[in-house]
């Protein structure tokens, strides 16, 4: 990863539950945050918001002052293209974030702004300038992001299909955003990348969590409302094996069950015209979560509270 | 994905018709022979009905020219376009099969050799290889050209990419379309790994289990390598651009999202969506052309969304060999280019009543809305709305239960020529 990452500033956040010191390779320009940093900044909000496990990255997002943020799980390495060269996922994410998205009409040749492609016949001209991209979702070769039931049923299913496309996920279409390999425009949508949806028995492997799926749908609702784009496809990273899906399945069904309520909710939530920033949008979503999902399960009620606390924290940190 | 070059039993052999509009010749069929020969073809001859279109030997087909269309539909023939490939929808009307595959006569087989390498070739062509080269003429043997056979000729002479994997994988476009139609779609929630029913893929984490049965697939929209389907302005600005990117994906276009449907490489379930596949009034005597498939696509998508059906796009690719004249195209399209600025918001805002539970009912409702909302833009839309109703009338007449009785007037309703 060194040649790819070393050109950029890294923010490393140590999971507050992870004991001991991190060994970090030399030669990177970085900031490291640990539990004590988190406690200092977050203060009294620490009761509502948890930064443990996969959620420790949100602290990094909070601390960053840069326009673009890229986040990749630590069990991923650069994938290789068909020539055997490592794919520079960072460059591709940056391209995705800095070229327009096209959420209002589907282009059958996928991203019209990439080399060798364009808008097809029948694509309205008034929609061809596109909108800014708020979120870019990359994919995974080898171990794809499947849930525990799928992984248990098909342990040998490896993703070897390289789909050479980036496409904009249309407006008002929801998707499951995987936090394994994403990037976003921090200025436009930063506040919506939030740690709010913790399962009661959330674990240390991806298929024991759905926090990123929740967050991703919040971001999509925000983007749809603010007329920003969400893209999916390239870049790929190579995800390595970890954990035992069958063991996870014995522990945790809850996430899978809760999706049945989560998805229809996000598909139907609508925000008011007065919500003009990502912060405003998140607050409205939280209030809607409390009203419509809260009664169904305490996890949802807690998420609504956490989202409100997060925005307060976000504003406080930004003000300093 | 790997498919046998010659399938043991062609899938859906007795349930699928291949509809081809043509005004020139059908030499391209030679290229498709190993894949098309098991199927029944419906050829719709556009233009001058006195011209004889030569169909290569050995194909099972029916051919309809303008005289046949007029004879079979009587006054209703007014809804079928003249001097435009939109006339292909006549073939959809008269087919008796469940599935339709339609393709243009300048589209060829595309084969995949290894990752990202594409070579266009004819599997079973004769020694008159120049036919495949698109040049016409005859009597040239491979020996004369200093090669062993069609593959080597193609590699040497034409095509941009050389096979990387000598064992090669041939993609049968028809088989891929059938696969797309026979597996469910996922219009209600986007799967980031594209079609979860393909080999080697599945639903990703977070995809609700209650949505994993998907919806029946009504349409399979394929793509094109080489000459991309650009409009005239884009063709004029980028005359040399070729689509060389092979995107190995099939995906469902989400519910509520419109798309530009190209009729060059299209398959659909006639029983599920047939009546919506009306390609409008285009060509001779009409103010617009090259929007036939677009119109059918927008109507179809609104109806599939309403009825809970799916539309897939992506694979298969075909090789589009001929670039049409951009100046001619501009004249045909220009009204469409500025009308579509109103047409798109119209379709985006259409809601069909709950009582519209069949495609025909949806289509009639849509025609009323077209007349009301688009009529004011130009009298063309009023004519089009009327033609939409005529089309449904024709559909009901041709496809009513009485028509399937063999005692019906075969001469009146039959094609001008057929071969078995």
């Amino acid at each position: 990863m060194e040649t790819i990452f070393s050109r950029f500033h890294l923010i490393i956040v140590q999971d507050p539950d992870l004991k001991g010191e991190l060994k970090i390779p030399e030669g990177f320009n970085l900031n490291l945050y640990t539990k004590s940093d988190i406690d200092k900044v977050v203060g009294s909000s620490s009761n509502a918001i948890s930064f443990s496990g996969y959620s420790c990255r949100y602290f990094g997002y909070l601390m960053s002052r840069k326009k673009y943020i890229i986040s990749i799980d630590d069990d991923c390495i650069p994938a290789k293209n068909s020539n055997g060269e490592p794919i520079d996922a960072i460059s591709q994410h940056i391209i995705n974030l800095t070229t327009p998205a096209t959420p209002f009409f589907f282009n059958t040749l996928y991203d019209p702004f990439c080399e060798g492609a364009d808008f097809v016949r029948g694509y309205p001209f008034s929609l061809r300038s596109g909108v800014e991209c708020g979120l870019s979702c990359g994919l995974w070769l080898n171990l794809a992001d499947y849930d525990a039931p799928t992984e248990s049923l098909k342990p040998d299913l490896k993703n070897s299909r390289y789909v050479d496309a980036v496409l904009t996920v249309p407006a008002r279409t929801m998707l499951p955003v995987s936090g394994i390999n994403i990037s976003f425009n921090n200025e436009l949508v930063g506040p919506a990348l939030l740690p709010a949806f913790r399962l009661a028995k959330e674990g240390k492997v991806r298929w024991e969590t759905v926090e990123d799926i929740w967050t991703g749908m919040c971001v999509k609702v925000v983007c749809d409302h603010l007329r920003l784009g969400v893209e999916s496809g390239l870049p790929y990273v190579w995800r390595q094996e970890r954990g035992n899906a069958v063991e996870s399945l014995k522990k945790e069904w809850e996430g899978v069950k809760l999706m049945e309520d989560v998805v229809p909710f996000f598909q139907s939530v609508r925000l008011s015209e007065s919500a003009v920033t990502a912060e405003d949008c998140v607050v409205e979503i939280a209030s809607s979560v409390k009203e419509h999902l809260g009664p169904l399960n305490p996890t949802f009620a807690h998420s609504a509270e956490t989202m409100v606390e997060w925005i307060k924290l976000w504003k406080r940190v930004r003000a300093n | 994905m790997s498919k046998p070059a010659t399938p043991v039993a062609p899938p859906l052999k007795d349930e699928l018709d291949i509809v081809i509009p043509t005004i020139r010749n059908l030499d391209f069929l030679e290229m498709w022979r190993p894949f098309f020969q098991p199927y029944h073809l419906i050829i719709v001859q556009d233009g001058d009905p006195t011209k004889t279109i030569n169909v290569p030997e050995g194909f099972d087909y029916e051919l309809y020219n303008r005289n046949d269309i007029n004879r079979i539909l009587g006054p209703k023939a007014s809804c079928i376009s003249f001097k435009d490939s939109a006339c292909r929808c006549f073939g959809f009307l008269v087919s008796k099969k469940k599935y339709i595959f339609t393709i243009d006569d300048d589209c060829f087989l595309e084969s995949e050799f290894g990752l990202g390498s594409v070579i266009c070739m004819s599997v079973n062509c004769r020694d008159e290889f120049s036919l495949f080269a698109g040049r016409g003429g005859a009597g040239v043997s491979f020996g004369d050209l200093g090669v062993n056979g069609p593959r080597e000729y193609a590699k040497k002479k034409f095509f941009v990419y050389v096979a990387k994997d000598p064992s090669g994988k041939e993609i049968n476009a028809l088989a891929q379309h059938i696969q797309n139609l026979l597996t469910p779609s996922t219009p209600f929630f986007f799967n980031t790994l594209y079609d979860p029913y393909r080999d080697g893929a599945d639903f990703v984490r977070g995809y609700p289990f209650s949505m994993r049965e998907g919806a029946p697939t009504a349409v399979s929209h394929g793509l094109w390598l080489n000459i991309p389907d650009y409009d005239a302005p884009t063709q004029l600005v980028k005359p040399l651009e070729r689509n060389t990117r092979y995107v190995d994906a099939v995906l469902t276009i989400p519910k509520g999202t419109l798309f530009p449907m190209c009729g060059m490489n299209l398959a659909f379930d006639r029983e599920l969506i047939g009546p919506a596949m009306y390609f409008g009034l285009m060509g001779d005597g009409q103010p617009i052309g090259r929007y036939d498939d677009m119109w059918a696509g927008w109507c179809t998508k609104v109806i599939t969304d309403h009825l809970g059906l799916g539309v897939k796009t992506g694979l298969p690719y075909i090789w589009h060999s001929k670039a049409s004249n951009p100046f001619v195209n501009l004249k045909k399209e220009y009204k469409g280019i500025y009308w579509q600025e109103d047409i798109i918001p119209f379709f985006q805002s259409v809601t069909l009543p709950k009582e519209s539970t069949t495609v025909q009912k949806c289509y009639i409702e849509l025609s009323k809305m077209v007349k009301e909302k688009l009529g004011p833009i130009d009298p063309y839309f009023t004519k089009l709305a009327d033609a939409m109703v005529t089309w449904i009338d024709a559909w009901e007449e041709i496809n009513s239960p009485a028509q399937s009785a063999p005692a019906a007037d075969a001469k009146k309703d039959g094609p001008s020529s057929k071969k078995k």
Side-chain angles (χ1 to χ4, degrees):
Chain A
M1 274 294 196
E2 182 165 352
T3 44
I4 298 174
F5 280 7
S6 54
R7 293 175 287 146
F8 299 94
H9 176 245
L10 304 186
I11 290 181
I12 298 177
V13 185
Q14 181 173 349
D15 178 359
D17 294 342
L18 191 69
K19 307 287 174 261
E21 238 187 74
L22 274 182
K23 257 184 66 184
I24 301 170
E26 289 285 316
F28 291 98
N29 164 21
L30 62 91
N31 277 54
L32 171 66
Y33 298 102
T34 60
K35 183 174 189 320
S36 59
D37 299 307
I38 297 175
D39 289 341
K40 221 184 302 173
V41 170
V42 175
S44 58
S45 307
S46 59
N47 292 331
I49 306 173
S50 169
F51 289 99
S52 76
Y54 286 104
S55 297
C56 61
R57 72 195 62 211
Y58 296 104
F59 185 77
Y61 303 166
L62 191 63
M63 291 292 108
S64 170
R65 290 295 176 270
K66 299 279 168 58
K67 178 166 178 169
Y68 301 109
I69 292 181
I70 296 170
S71 177
I72 296 177
D73 275 9
D74 60 5
D75 57 355
C76 298
I77 59 173
K80 291 203 165 79
N81 63 19
S82 46
N83 297 328
E85 297 148 347
I87 295 168
D88 185 348
I90 307 300
S91 291
Q92 185 63 54
H93 272 300
I94 291 171
I95 289 169
N96 295 350
L97 291 173
T98 54
T99 49
T102 53
F104 305 116
F105 200 74
F106 190 85
N107 192 46
T108 46
L109 281 186
Y110 314 108
D111 180 8
F113 296 100
C114 79
E115 195 67 46
D118 211 309
F119 291 96
V120 295
R121 175 174 59 95
Y123 203 104
F125 276 79
S126 62
L127 295 179
R128 294 195 190 196
S129 33
V131 295
E132 268 198 275
C133 179
L135 178 72
S136 159
C137 309
L139 295 173
W140 342 269
L141 287 171
N142 192 42
L143 194 66
D145 191 13
Y146 294 132
D147 51 41
T150 307
E151 195 58 49
S152 311
L153 200 66
K154 301 180 175 184
D156 297 328
L157 177 64
K158 296 288 176 274
N159 187 23
S160 55
R161 181 173 291 129
Y162 184 88
V163 178
D164 187 8
V166 179
L167 62 102
T168 302
V169 181
R172 287 183 314 283
T173 296
M174 286 297 124
L175 74 155
V177 172
S178 164
I180 295 174
N181 172 18
I182 59 163
S183 65
F184 58 96
N185 183 321
N186 197 21
E187 280 174 18
L188 291 177
V189 302
L193 277 292
L194 40 77
F197 193 64
R198 289 198 81 82
L199 299 174
K201 288 184 252 150
E202 183 156 301
K204 299 296 183 194
V205 283
R206 275 291 182 194
W207 53 57
E208 291 171 2
T209 76
V210 278
E211 58 86 19
D212 49 350
I213 313 292
W214 175 275
T215 297
M217 280 195 264
C218 289
V219 179
K220 185 61 164 64
V221 167
V222 170
C223 286
D224 286 351
H225 181 77
L226 298 179
R227 297 176 71 85
L228 302 170
V230 170
E231 295 183 352
S232 182
L234 302 179
Y236 281 87
V237 293
W238 182 274
R239 187 163 170 246
Q240 292 162 314
E241 317 279 332
R242 191 159 87 177
N244 180 328
V246 179
E247 286 307 310
S248 299
L249 204 57
K250 290 180 195 166
K251 272 197 276 177
E252 182 52 73
W253 255 115
E254 201 191 359
V256 164
K257 279 188 291 186
L258 290 176
M259 278 301 122
E260 298 297 332
D261 295 313
V262 169
V263 173
F265 167 76
F266 278 103
Q267 284 175 328
S268 61
V269 77
R270 295 286 180 269
L271 306 179
S272 75
E273 271 184 34
S274 54
V276 296
T277 63
E279 290 95 314
D280 296 342
C281 293
V282 171
V283 167
E284 280 195 16
I285 296 173
S287 147
S288 195
V289 170
K290 184 173 175 177
E291 186 188 336
H292 296 108
L293 288 178
L296 300 176
N297 191 299
T299 307
F300 295 133
H302 188 252
S303 296
E305 281 170 24
T306 309
M307 287 167 75
V308 173
E309 284 306 310
W310 167 262
I311 294 299
K312 287 188 195 156
L313 175 63
W314 179 274
K315 287 182 173 167
R316 184 158 49 85
V317 166
R318 283 287 178 279
N320 293 344
Chain B
M1 85 198 264
S2 207
K3 286 250 178 277
T6 339
V8 173
L12 303 181
K13 186 169 77 72
D14 299 318
E15 294 174 74
L16 182 143
D17 275 339
I18 303 178
V19 173
I20 306 164
T22 187
I23 199 160
R24 36 189 162 219
N25 63 62
L26 292 166
D27 294 340
F28 88 119
L29 279 180
E30 210 43 72
M31 174 77 148
W32 288 99
R33 186 183 287 277
F35 301 95
F36 283 11
Q37 196 154 337
Y39 297 91
H40 181 68
L41 311 186
I42 296 180
I43 298 161
V44 184
Q45 178 184 340
D46 197 11
D48 183 0
T50 64
K51 180 174 170 193
T52 309
I53 299 275
N54 183 39
V55 184
E57 282 292 316
F59 284 99
D60 167 27
Y61 70 93
E62 6 175 346
L63 185 147
Y64 298 90
N65 61 28
R66 192 73 212 179
N67 295 338
D68 300 313
I69 295 172
N70 290 337
R71 181 168 40 82
I72 292 168
L73 291 183
K76 296 195 185 74
S78 60
C79 75
I80 303 295
S81 302
F82 186 60
K83 289 277 190 71
D84 194 286
S85 61
C87 65
R88 77 178 76 216
C89 65
F90 180 79
F92 306 160
L93 192 61
V94 297
S95 166
K96 301 280 175 275
K97 302 282 171 55
K98 179 164 162 69
Y99 300 99
I100 298 277
F101 171 47
T102 183
I103 188 168
D104 280 10
D105 61 9
D106 59 352
C107 294
F108 292 86
L109 184 68
E110 173 274 310
S111 303
E112 191 200 2
F113 280 66
L115 256 184
S117 301
V118 170
I119 181 170
C120 176
M121 58 170 292
S122 168
V123 174
N124 199 19
C125 70
R126 303 167 302 189
D127 282 353
E128 283 94 305
F129 201 74
S130 49
L131 206 171
F132 160 64
R135 275 187 266 143
V140 178
S141 79
F142 295 125
D144 294 342
L145 300 167
V147 294
N148 303 338
R151 279 176 204 230
E152 201 187 324
Y153 181 74
K155 270 193 229 177
K156 277 193 164 174
K157 190 75 183 176
F158 287 105
F159 298 97
V160 183
Y161 299 101
V162 176
K164 281 188 180 167
D165 173 3
S167 69
K169 284 187 276 178
E170 276 172 7
I171 291 179
N172 176 341
L174 189 48
Q176 181 66 56
H177 275 300
I178 289 170
Q179 175 102 0
N180 293 349
L181 290 172
L182 293 182
T183 49
S185 297
T186 53
F188 307 117
F189 195 58
F190 189 81
N191 192 47
T192 47
L193 278 188
Y194 314 106
D195 186 345
Y197 302 98
R198 281 186 81 193
D199 277 343
D202 211 310
F203 290 96
V204 296
R205 178 173 56 98
Y207 205 104
F209 275 78
S210 61
M211 292 186 187
R212 295 192 188 197
E213 270 184 30
T217 303
V219 180
S220 166
H221 176 262
L223 297 174
W224 349 272
L225 288 168
N226 193 42
I227 309 288
D229 189 25
Y230 288 159
D231 53 44
T234 310
Q235 276 181 290
L236 286 164
V237 168
K238 297 179 166 189
L240 300 178
E241 185 149 277
R242 297 290 176 264
N243 187 21
T244 57
R245 179 175 288 114
Y246 184 90
V247 177
D248 189 1
V250 180
L251 63 112
T252 300
I253 301 181
K255 179 177 174 175
T257 299
L258 291 175
F259 76 114
M261 184 179 87
C262 173
M264 257 198 274
N265 174 19
L266 183 71
F268 59 92
D269 184 324
R270 199 176 160 277
E271 280 176 19
L272 284 182
I273 200 63
M277 283 289 181
Y278 172 51
F279 274 47
L281 292 171
M282 304 280 150
D284 231 39
Q286 306 298 343
I288 186 175
R290 283 172 55 90
Y291 270 84
D292 52 335
D293 41 6
M294 296 298 134
W295 184 263
W298 297 326
C299 294
T300 292
K301 188 60 165 59
V302 159
I303 294 175
T304 51
D305 284 352
H306 177 76
L307 297 178
L309 304 171
V311 172
K312 291 186 181 176
T313 185
L315 300 182
Y317 281 87
I318 45 91
W319 182 273
H320 185 208
S321 67
K322 284 198 178 67
S324 42
N325 184 312
F327 296 100
V328 170
N329 290 345
L330 188 58
K331 267 205 270 190
K332 292 180 182 173
E333 285 174 7
Y334 84 96
K335 284 216 157 119
I337 285 173
Y338 61 83
W339 280 345
Q340 78 191 357
E341 297 297 333
D342 290 307
I343 296 174
I344 300 298
F346 162 76
F347 278 105
Q348 283 173 330
S349 64
V350 159
T351 31
L352 294 167
K354 256 206 311 254
E355 301 77 44
S356 300
T357 50
T358 65
V359 178
Q360 290 91 319
K361 287 191 186 141
C362 290
Y363 205 74
I364 296 291
E365 282 303 313
L366 203 48
S367 73
K368 293 181 195 158
M369 295 180 209
V370 167
K371 190 173 257 185
E372 186 195 330
K373 297 269 162 55
L374 297 179
I377 296 173
D378 191 281
Y380 169 76
F381 290 104
T382 306
K383 252 188 8 177
L384 180 58
D386 289 338
M388 289 168 75
V389 176
T390 306
W391 161 263
I392 295 295
D393 287 345
W395 186 280
E396 300 284 57
E397 187 185 301
I398 301 273
N399 293 291
S400 68
Q403 283 300 320
S404 51
D409 188 343
K411 187 137 192 251
K412 174 183 181 287
D413 297 333
S416 64
S417 61
K418 54 198 318 196
K419 201 134 176 221
K420 199 107 192 168

